[in-house]
Amino acid sequence: MSIQKQVAAWLGFDTSKCSWPPPRLSIGLQGGGSFGAFAWGVLDRLLDEERLAIDALSGASAGAVNAVLFASGLLEGGRKEGKARLERFWRRMSVNAVLGPRGAFTMTPLGAAMRMLSPYQFNPFNLNPLRDALVEEVDFARLRAEAPVKLLIAATRVSDGRQRIFRENELTADMVLASACLPLLHHSVNIDGEDYWDGGYVANPPLFPLVIASEAEHILAVLVTPNAVEGTPLNRRDIIKRLEQIQFNATVNAEFAALQLGAILRMSPIFERLRLTSISAADEIDGLARESAGDLAWDFLDRLRQSGRDAASVWLARQPGSI
């Protein structure tokens, strides 16, 4: 049994008396390059549920981008605009092929050269189309002033490797870029004199901060990076891919374990009300671990989105006793 599937059993709460679907929900969105389109699908389906209120969103990397687009759309046009904004962004990413640990260009001769150089060498002017997409889609000044949900965006401080959580009332485009800054593809992002890299290295997604900030009793973790694979990779490309998967899952596995311990020891009154479930892309898509998180082909993104929608529909249809 995967660690995600053990979460409800670990927490050990009697959910048979809980209303379902929950009227209020907080969501942790894992990052994982193009696999983040699965989380887009989950959010797209949840936006169909008029009676379901979203209290807080946490995210790292692609999860942070999804969270901010969701909140911005909700603020500026309600649920319909939230759905439209997410779709516009992912379509744009498919065209630009700029999001993910390995861009679509990495199989070209240029991609081979880039793997041998730092981004300060192959991209000295720090061009990043992701910035343009964020600035066009999100009014950060308005979001800071009127955020419709709580936001917790994770980044990794380069100097000491510690986690930094950016909140909705301070959020800028640079903070989201910091959360999605893969150091082999992009320059580090400087905020208040500190350089930051991708938040997935320290919180993917941030769960403990989400639990503390959330006023909702139910937390949903949307996991997009495969946690388990069959067999041991033998060639260099597959070994690197598996190392990335392990690295990007290590933090969420640790947070699940910490939440388990907190529940067992009843370390805080928070655990008296907490309900935690998860939706995992790897459980829904056969062979996802063999796919590339840098594949931004539209047919692949659309398949991930539809799988996310289907998984959310199953989650919404659960009986309380099965949580």
Side-chain angles (χ1 to χ4, degrees):
M1 181 184 297
S2 69
I3 194 166
Q4 296 95 324
K5 289 185 176 181
Q6 295 177 41
V7 172
W10 279 350
L11 294 180
F13 295 111
D14 178 10
T15 57
S16 61
K17 297 180 182 179
C18 298
S19 61
W20 193 261
R24 200 174 190 189
L25 180 68
S26 291
I27 308 171
L29 299 168
Q30 190 179 43
S34 61
F35 294 171
F38 177 87
W40 160 35
V42 172
L43 294 174
D44 187 72
R45 177 65 183 87
L46 294 179
L47 282 167
D48 292 338
E49 299 296 312
E50 296 284 346
R51 293 178 294 179
L52 177 60
I54 305 300
D55 180 67
L57 295 167
S58 73
S61 200
V65 174
N66 278 331
V68 171
L69 290 168
F70 178 99
S72 177
L74 208 60
L75 173 63
E76 299 197 28
R79 292 171 182 265
K80 183 177 180 180
E81 180 59 22
K83 293 164 74 75
R85 201 157 291 201
L86 283 161
E87 179 167 353
R88 282 200 305 270
F89 173 82
W90 282 101
R91 284 187 179 276
R92 181 171 182 160
M93 289 302 97
S94 182
V95 172
N96 291 339
V98 296
L99 181 67
R102 296 162 300 276
F105 44 69
T106 56
M107 296 307 293
T108 67
L110 174 60
M114 288 171 62
R115 288 196 296 274
M116 300 178 65
L117 301 173
S118 85
Y120 302 91
Q121 295 171 304
F122 66 73
N123 184 12
F125 298 108
N126 198 21
L127 301 176
N128 189 348
L130 178 56
R131 175 185 292 279
D132 297 334
L134 285 171
V135 170
E136 284 188 26
E137 292 290 350
V138 180
D139 182 342
F140 281 94
R142 186 178 177 192
L143 187 62
R144 288 192 295 272
E146 307 175 45
V149 297
K150 302 180 187 75
L151 291 170
L152 298 93
I153 304 303
T156 303
R157 194 159 55 202
V158 177
S159 61
D160 58 9
R162 296 179 69 100
Q163 174 188 122
R164 170 81 184 267
I165 299 294
F166 298 109
R167 294 299 305 267
E168 67 279 0
N169 60 354
E170 63 179 333
L171 202 59
T172 64
D174 277 345
M175 291 173 183
V176 183
L177 289 170
S179 184
C181 176
L182 288 152
L184 294 180
L185 286 182
H186 304 294
H187 295 207
S188 62
V189 180
N190 189 277
I191 299 168
D192 298 331
E194 287 281 356
D195 287 336
Y196 290 91
W197 283 339
D198 197 292
Y201 297 119
V202 290
N204 197 22
L207 287 182
F208 243 113
L210 180 63
V211 167
I212 294 168
S214 174
E215 296 179 46
E217 293 185 352
H218 204 109
I219 305 289
L220 172 63
V222 182
L223 308 173
V224 302
T225 299
N227 206 20
V229 298
E230 294 183 4
T232 301
L234 301 178
N235 64 59
R236 179 179 176 82
R237 181 180 177 185
D238 289 344
I239 290 170
I240 292 172
K241 181 193 298 185
R242 184 58 188 146
L243 285 171
E244 290 175 348
Q245 291 169 351
I246 291 170
Q247 187 173 37
F248 269 63
N249 274 315
T251 55
V252 72
N253 289 343
E255 288 205 72
F256 279 140
L259 287 169
Q260 174 198 7
L261 179 62
I264 292 170
L265 300 179
R266 294 295 190 263
M267 293 168 60
S268 165
I270 291 172
F271 293 105
E272 297 297 328
R273 61 177 174 81
L274 178 65
R275 307 290 185 269
L276 177 61
T277 56
S278 65
I279 296 175
S280 173
D283 291 340
E284 307 298 327
I285 304 170
D286 289 338
L288 183 63
R290 296 190 296 272
E291 301 287 353
S292 169
D295 184 354
L296 286 157
W298 179 250
D299 59 346
F300 181 57
L301 296 181
D302 192 50
R303 179 161 67 95
L304 288 164
R305 179 196 66 86
Q306 188 57 54
S307 295
R309 280 190 57 86
D310 292 345
S313 292
V314 171
W315 182 85
L316 287 164
R318 286 178 176 181
Q319 296 300 313
S322 70
I323 301 168

